[in-house]
């Protein structure tokens, strides 16, 4: 949908024009997985697909959440902001608004909101972070708070912790907020210092493969990994496989970025493959579908590197593939994946886009 169609949809839903439109992207992480919540390095980039938020104030002191992707409509009084039951989708935006209230801003009006996103749902490409960052940005303007993009990312992360119950790191929201076209973000999750590194690669594309696996990383398993790795690191138990993954992944990430900056793409790819193996064996967040997808990719000539991306279990792999090998990649990986799992994979050639903005 383009913004004209979205405006029409808003008018149809609320019987008035939207006052503002925001866009925040999803993300794909190239390397540095399951390190953010322990203060490691990550290297994600924002995608060209994401979530739009259109909004207008109302005179009835209600926050109204509607989505063109989800049928459930939600209405909340501005004087009764708290987490919604049953893992309701509106917790993502509501939790961001709540962060402003916690910081002393006052809602004196209600708002009618309409969301629409084109991030494939459940693919681990951060559709929820996109909703959060779009909302955080919109209410930054509503309240005239003047927060920078890093602060918007923190607001999104806190919404995830307090309203969605996922103790996630900062990576997804940070990428959605600070992304830049044709760049990846080398982020130190301890200090939040970051560097934008160009990833416009001569003759090579970033290809995302969606497993469409029913096994999702649920908040329980994710929070377990957060706890297990934190405990092992606090005890300095570096033989513990969770801690070992963290240490080795941080090293791989810094080495990979260094290699990329030197133009040594082959080393970057090797480190991506090693990252997958570590996530499979030490961190145990891959599962048969992601393993089948990565293993199929590793066999193809012209694949520089391939690994799972995001939280894991289901979701997507990310691969660097030479232009001329992309058709074979899609055909062969799709075929082998189907034969091994019975599932149909879907492929996207990633376009690396900008972070959140008012449209
Ligand atoms: C999810 C979380 C992120 C990060 C990744 C794994 O996407 O939201 O904070 O931990 O998993 O790298």
């Amino acid at each position: 949908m383009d913004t004209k169609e979205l405006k029409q949809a808003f008018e149809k839903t609320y019987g008035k024009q939207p006052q503002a439109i925001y866009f925040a992207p999803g993300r794909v992480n190239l390397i540095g997985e399951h390190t953010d919540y322990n203060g490691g390095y990550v290297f994600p980039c924002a995608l060209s697909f994401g979530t739009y938020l259109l909004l207008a104030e109302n005179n009835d002191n209600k926050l109204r959440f509607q989505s063109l992707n989800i049928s459930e409509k939600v209405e909340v009084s501005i004087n009764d902001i708290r987490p919604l039951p049953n893992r309701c989708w509106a917790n993502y935006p509501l939790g961001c608004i709540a962060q402003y209230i916690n910081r002393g801003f006052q809602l004196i009006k209600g708002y009618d909101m309409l969301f629409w996103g084109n991030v494939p749902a459940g693919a681990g490409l951060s559709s929820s972070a996109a909703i959060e960052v779009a909302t955080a940005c919109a209410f930054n303007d509503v309240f005239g708070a003047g927060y920078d993009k890093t602060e918007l990312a923190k607001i999104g992360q806190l919404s995830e912790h307090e309203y969605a119950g996922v103790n996630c790191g900062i990576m997804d929201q940070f990428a959605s907020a600070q992304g830049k076209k044709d760049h990846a973000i080398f982020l130190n999750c301890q200090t939040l210092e970051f560097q934008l590194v160009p990833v416009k690669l001569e003759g090579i594309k970033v290809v995302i493969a969606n497993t469409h696996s029913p096994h999702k990383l649920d908040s329980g398993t994710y929070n377990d990994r957060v706890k297990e790795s934190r405990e092992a690191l606090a005890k300095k138990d570096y033989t513990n496989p969770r801690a070992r993954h963290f240490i080795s992944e941080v090293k791989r990430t810094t080495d990979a970025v260094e290699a990329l900056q030197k133009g040594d793409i082959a080393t970057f790819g090797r480190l991506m493959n090693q990252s997958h193996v570590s996530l499979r064996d030490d961190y145990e967040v891959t599962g048969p579908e992601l393993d089948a997808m990565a293993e199929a990719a590793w066999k193809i000539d012209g694949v520089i590197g391939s690994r799972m991306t995001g939280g894991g279990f289901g979701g997507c792999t990310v691969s660097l593939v030479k232009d001329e090998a992309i058709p074979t990649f899609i055909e062969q990986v799709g075929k082998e994946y189907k034969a091994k799992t019975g599932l149909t994979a879907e492929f996207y050639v990633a376009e690396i886009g900008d972070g959140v903005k008012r449209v």
Side-chain angles (χ1 to χ4, degrees):
M1 276 183 138
D2 58 24
T3 45
K4 194 171 155 228
E5 290 166 312
L6 286 169
K7 277 185 192 164
Q8 284 165 355
F10 188 93
E11 276 183 60
K12 207 171 146 217
T13 310
Y14 290 115
K16 61 184 168 192
Q17 301 253 330
Q19 287 165 337
I21 307 181
Y22 295 84
F23 171 80
R27 66 92 190 94
V28 65
N29 187 23
L30 299 179
I31 195 161
E33 212 68 80
H34 282 281
T35 58
D36 58 350
Y37 45 80
N38 285 314
Y41 287 92
V42 294
F43 196 48
C45 32
L47 295 169
S48 57
F49 42 50
T51 295
Y52 288 85
L53 161 58
L54 296 85
L55 81 168
E57 56 185 51
N58 62 44
N59 289 318
D60 34 15
N61 294 342
K62 293 269 164 54
L63 294 172
R64 292 202 181 85
F65 301 93
Q66 286 207 43
S67 162
L68 298 171
N69 304 92
I70 304 161
S71 60
E72 187 187 10
K73 302 176 187 174
V74 179
E75 205 176 278
V76 170
S77 156
I78 61 169
N79 302 312
D80 187 24
I81 295 182
R82 54 191 154 111
L84 302 160
N86 307 324
R87 311 182 65 193
C88 176
W89 72 273
N91 275 317
Y92 298 115
L94 183 61
C96 294
I97 300 170
Q99 295 309 318
Y100 283 95
I101 314 252
N102 290 347
R103 291 157 187 237
F105 294 98
Q106 262 177 16
L107 259 185
I108 42 175
K109 281 214 170 258
Y111 283 85
D112 294 331
M113 289 165 263
L114 183 67
F115 294 85
W116 177 73
N118 55 0
V119 185
L125 300 175
S126 297
S127 53
S128 66
I131 296 176
E132 288 153 2
V133 171
T135 310
C137 190
F139 281 81
N140 196 29
D141 288 349
V142 162
F143 292 117
Y147 289 150
D148 64 12
K149 288 182 172 177
T150 294
E151 202 58 37
L152 301 184
K154 286 188 197 162
I155 286 173
Q157 184 194 18
L158 283 171
S159 166
E160 196 84 38
H161 290 179
E162 293 170 15
Y163 275 63
V166 181
N167 297 325
C168 66
I170 190 82
M171 170 170 75
D172 305 351
Q173 293 81 5
F174 202 94
S176 181
Q178 294 279 19
K180 183 159 181 243
K181 191 171 167 42
D182 296 329
H183 288 72
I185 307 170
F186 181 41
L187 171 67
N188 176 335
C189 298
Q190 185 78 49
T191 61
L192 299 188
E193 282 166 333
F194 69 103
Q195 193 188 340
L196 294 168
V197 181
V199 281
K200 211 163 174 44
L201 307 166
E202 202 57 48
I204 294 165
K205 297 271 183 323
V206 176
V207 182
I208 298 171
N210 190 341
T211 62
H212 283 291
S213 159
H215 308 291
K216 298 270 143 55
L217 177 71
D218 59 39
S219 54
T221 316
Y222 184 90
N223 292 346
D224 286 348
R225 289 296 182 278
V226 173
K227 190 165 171 278
E228 293 157 6
S229 57
R230 266 196 197 144
E231 282 173 4
L233 288 166
K235 280 193 226 141
K236 301 197 184 339
D237 176 7
Y238 302 131
T239 56
N240 175 295
R242 306 292 191 244
R244 194 163 59 209
H245 167 74
F246 175 78
I247 309 264
S248 65
E249 185 74 355
V250 166
K251 172 92 170 71
R252 276 188 292 275
T253 308
T254 51
D255 287 353
V257 175
E258 202 185 305
L260 183 67
Q261 285 172 320
K262 283 194 204 139
D264 180 2
I265 193 74
T267 298
F268 191 95
R270 244 186 336 266
L271 291 163
M272 287 175 80
N273 298 348
Q274 289 169 11
S275 165
H276 184 91
V277 170
S278 177
L279 288 155
R280 181 189 70 195
D281 298 344
D282 279 351
Y283 222 66
E284 297 178 277
V285 287
T286 59
E289 292 83 5
L290 284 167
D291 289 340
M293 195 78 91
E295 279 159 26
W298 293 339
K299 290 182 193 158
I300 311 279
D301 258 356
V303 170
I304 318 285
S306 185
R307 55 179 289 275
M308 63 152 268
T309 184
F313 290 106
C316 294
T317 62
V318 60
S319 310
L320 297 184
V321 188
K322 288 192 180 155
D323 286 343
E324 63 273 17
I326 293 176
T328 317
F329 175 89
I330 292 177
E331 199 206 310
Q332 290 297 320
V333 174
K335 210 164 126 191
E336 188 174 321
Y337 178 71
K338 173 109 194 178
K340 274 200 186 154
T341 64
L343 298 167
T344 304
E346 200 181 342
F347 298 90
Y348 325 99
V349 175
E351 274 179 56
I352 301 178
D354 285 320
V356 68
K357 58 176 177 244
R358 184 170 173 169
V359 182

